[in-house]
Amino acid sequence: MTKKILVANRGEIALRIIRAIQELNYTSVAVYETPDKDARHIRIADEAIWLGDGPRCDYLNIEKIIAAAKKSGVDAIHPGYGFLAENPDFAKACEDNGIIFIGPSSDVITNLGNKVIARQIMADASIPMVPGTQNLTSGDAGLQEAIEFGKKYGYPVMLKATSGGGGRGIRRIEDEASLVGEIPIARAEAKAAFNDERVYLEKVVLDPKHVEVQILADKEGKTIHLGTRDCSIQRRNQKLVEIAPSLIEDKDLLDKICDTAVQAAKASNYFNAGTVEFLLDKDLNYYFMEINTRVQVEHTVSEMVTGIDIVRTQIKLAFGKNLSFSQEDVQIRGHAIEMRINAEDPQNNFMPEGGKTITTYQSPGGYGVRLDGFAYQGYTIPEVYDSLLVKLTVHGYTWNETVDRLKRCLTNFVITGPKTTIPFYLNLVQDDEFRKGDFNTSFLDTHAYLFEYAEQKSEVNKIASLIAEIHHKQENPYAI
Ligand code: ADP
Ligand code: ADP
Ligand code: MG
């Protein structure tokens, strides 16, 4: 019985999902906006539907995507991550139009997408979390509530947008005067970014580790986990490097965190794949942070260490199949590390390098190496989307072997045209503390020397870039 699935996304995750659809022998439907007319997801999908000129507004247009889905007669929509993936109105529109939304129900997304409601659900289920406020009341009353919180728990405090996500809408506040000044600004920004001006406060966990747990849940409520991931290496509260499993040596603690994650998923009636995020303090106390109701960028590392295809499983679960395996069947083998290779300049505050054309693209390969990307030689990176080009994921039996493999891959990876995060990662994988697993979310702020590198290129690479450029010019005589 063949099925048809529309992928409401772009970039590497669109390719990842289309591959899973094709492996299931189902039909894949891609959608795109004009700036993505040269994108690979359109080429490999069985069908492609143009949504409009964009940029971004058409990928975010629920009506247009539902219309495309109906026109092409799809059974289901996979939202990927970002864009509409955590928009409960989109999930609801699918439900109302008889289209299967590959993810949890719109009710679950509504609850968990609101950080304050999510915290309330977890508090009711006795899940540990840092102290925090309810939504701050608007006006002076809210300022007073905030000041009280600061007095009670001390500074710094975290000022968060209730509907925030993707590392945006989070401000660390160092003292009362800044708190009073920042609240109105945070509200205005939250209103503009998330169409919800509500904000609340959390106590800051100092120099925490970010540890999260991948969850799978079927319609009958059977909920299992695929172990932990460490995502502490971040810039601007956004992940750059993800590792499975966490390198914390206390295995009982990690088991306990995983059990808590399953409990958190059950408390929110979770269905399909999701991620429960925690912060760990210096004494390894752990605190619930949020649940992401979608496939995550870093799902690849969990796949590599468990052998379970998370996207395939998401699709099967959405079509009503129950989990065919149990917790005991899930075995963690070895270690996996993912690095997000972004078109960004780490030396210039990770400034995006969009608009540039890739003149050389030579990717590594070999044993234990996985690439999830969509860029190619001659591809001009649209300026209007995020800067992720390719995810390099390596798997190894021991941690040291995995890091050595990663270093070898980074050394072999040549991308010219835009600046990328590769040279920065090359410094990182040679850092002693990184190699010892000794890092937290402040790592980049405290290790300035990671940003010291010259644009190194071997003679062979320089010649390869030149040849690639000549070929590119011959094939694209009108390109500037
Ligand atoms: P998002 O929804 O944008 O992913 P999160 O609430 O998951 O936001 O937080 C993202 C990151 O911000 C965390 O991984 C962590 O680095 C930092 N962070 C968030 N809350 C706190 C906190 N209370 N204390 C310390 N760091 C925090
Ligand atoms: P499928 O029919 O596609 O294998 P399943 O729901 O049985 O669907 O499995 C989903 C994913 O879990 C697949 O990636 C599969 O390889 C993996 N898987 C299935 N059975 C087991 C098991 N007993 N232990 C570990 N992983 C499994
Ligand atoms: Mg998060």
Side-chain angles (χ1 to χ4, degrees), residues 13 39 204 255 270 329 431 451:
I13 195 63
V204 167
D255 284 346
Y270 204 81
D329 296 320
D431 181 83
F451 296 91

PDB file of all heavy atoms in Angstrom, residues 13 39 204 255 270 329 431 451:
ATOM      1  N   ILE A  13      17.377  18.791   5.934  1.00  0.00           N
ATOM      2  CA  ILE A  13      16.345  17.974   6.591  1.00  0.00           C
ATOM      3  C   ILE A  13      15.301  17.530   5.559  1.00  0.00           C
ATOM      4  O   ILE A  13      14.758  16.422   5.669  1.00  0.00           O
ATOM      5  CB  ILE A  13      15.723  18.683   7.820  1.00  0.00           C
ATOM      6  CG1 ILE A  13      14.931  17.689   8.678  1.00  0.00           C
ATOM      7  CG2 ILE A  13      14.846  19.869   7.437  1.00  0.00           C
ATOM      8  CD1 ILE A  13      15.754  16.573   9.296  1.00  0.00           C
ATOM      9  N   ALA A  39      17.701  24.142  -5.511  1.00  0.00           N
ATOM     10  CA  ALA A  39      17.963  23.288  -4.343  1.00  0.00           C
ATOM     11  C   ALA A  39      17.812  21.810  -4.691  1.00  0.00           C
ATOM     12  O   ALA A  39      17.015  21.431  -5.545  1.00  0.00           O
ATOM     13  CB  ALA A  39      17.008  23.663  -3.216  1.00  0.00           C
ATOM     14  N   VAL A 204      19.372  31.032  36.689  1.00  0.00           N
ATOM     15  CA  VAL A 204      20.412  30.572  35.761  1.00  0.00           C
ATOM     16  C   VAL A 204      21.169  29.405  36.380  1.00  0.00           C
ATOM     17  O   VAL A 204      21.520  29.432  37.558  1.00  0.00           O
ATOM     18  CB  VAL A 204      21.394  31.725  35.449  1.00  0.00           C
ATOM     19  CG1 VAL A 204      22.648  31.211  34.744  1.00  0.00           C
ATOM     20  CG2 VAL A 204      20.718  32.788  34.595  1.00  0.00           C
ATOM     21  N   ASP A 255      21.098   6.980  33.338  1.00  0.00           N
ATOM     22  CA  ASP A 255      19.868   6.160  33.288  1.00  0.00           C
ATOM     23  C   ASP A 255      18.713   6.892  33.954  1.00  0.00           C
ATOM     24  O   ASP A 255      17.586   6.872  33.477  1.00  0.00           O
ATOM     25  CB  ASP A 255      20.090   4.820  34.003  1.00  0.00           C
ATOM     26  CG  ASP A 255      20.920   3.858  33.150  1.00  0.00           C
ATOM     27  OD1 ASP A 255      21.070   4.141  31.939  1.00  0.00           O
ATOM     28  OD2 ASP A 255      21.428   2.854  33.695  1.00  0.00           O
ATOM     29  N   TYR A 270       2.823  12.473  25.328  1.00  0.00           N
ATOM     30  CA  TYR A 270       3.624  12.623  24.124  1.00  0.00           C
ATOM     31  C   TYR A 270       3.388  11.509  23.128  1.00  0.00           C
ATOM     32  O   TYR A 270       3.239  10.352  23.489  1.00  0.00           O
ATOM     33  CB  TYR A 270       5.122  12.720  24.456  1.00  0.00           C
ATOM     34  CG  TYR A 270       5.822  13.445  23.348  1.00  0.00           C
ATOM     35  CD1 TYR A 270       5.792  14.824  23.286  1.00  0.00           C
ATOM     36  CD2 TYR A 270       6.398  12.744  22.299  1.00  0.00           C
ATOM     37  CE1 TYR A 270       6.337  15.497  22.211  1.00  0.00           C
ATOM     38  CE2 TYR A 270       6.949  13.408  21.222  1.00  0.00           C
ATOM     39  CZ  TYR A 270       6.923  14.784  21.183  1.00  0.00           C
ATOM     40  OH  TYR A 270       7.448  15.450  20.116  1.00  0.00           O
ATOM     41  N   ASP A 329      15.639  -3.591  23.891  1.00  0.00           N
ATOM     42  CA  ASP A 329      16.226  -3.820  22.558  1.00  0.00           C
ATOM     43  C   ASP A 329      17.165  -2.690  22.148  1.00  0.00           C
ATOM     44  O   ASP A 329      17.950  -2.835  21.213  1.00  0.00           O
ATOM     45  CB  ASP A 329      15.118  -3.924  21.501  1.00  0.00           C
ATOM     46  CG  ASP A 329      14.224  -5.128  21.727  1.00  0.00           C
ATOM     47  OD1 ASP A 329      14.770  -6.192  22.076  1.00  0.00           O
ATOM     48  OD2 ASP A 329      12.997  -4.995  21.573  1.00  0.00           O
ATOM     49  N   ASP A 431      41.688  20.166  20.986  1.00  0.00           N
ATOM     50  CA  ASP A 431      41.755  20.768  22.314  1.00  0.00           C
ATOM     51  C   ASP A 431      41.709  19.677  23.385  1.00  0.00           C
ATOM     52  O   ASP A 431      40.879  18.771  23.337  1.00  0.00           O
ATOM     53  CB  ASP A 431      40.556  21.718  22.478  1.00  0.00           C
ATOM     54  CG  ASP A 431      40.566  22.394  23.826  1.00  0.00           C
ATOM     55  OD1 ASP A 431      41.271  23.405  23.955  1.00  0.00           O
ATOM     56  OD2 ASP A 431      39.903  21.891  24.749  1.00  0.00           O
ATOM     57  N   PHE A 451      39.510  30.308  18.204  1.00  0.00           N
ATOM     58  CA  PHE A 451      39.222  31.153  17.050  1.00  0.00           C
ATOM     59  C   PHE A 451      40.495  31.609  16.337  1.00  0.00           C
ATOM     60  O   PHE A 451      40.431  32.390  15.406  1.00  0.00           O
ATOM     61  CB  PHE A 451      38.396  32.376  17.498  1.00  0.00           C
ATOM     62  CG  PHE A 451      37.048  31.987  18.023  1.00  0.00           C
ATOM     63  CD1 PHE A 451      36.851  31.726  19.370  1.00  0.00           C
ATOM     64  CD2 PHE A 451      35.979  31.841  17.156  1.00  0.00           C
ATOM     65  CE1 PHE A 451      35.599  31.351  19.851  1.00  0.00           C
ATOM     66  CE2 PHE A 451      34.726  31.463  17.619  1.00  0.00           C
ATOM     67  CZ  PHE A 451      34.542  31.216  18.976  1.00  0.00           C
TER      68      PHE A 451
END
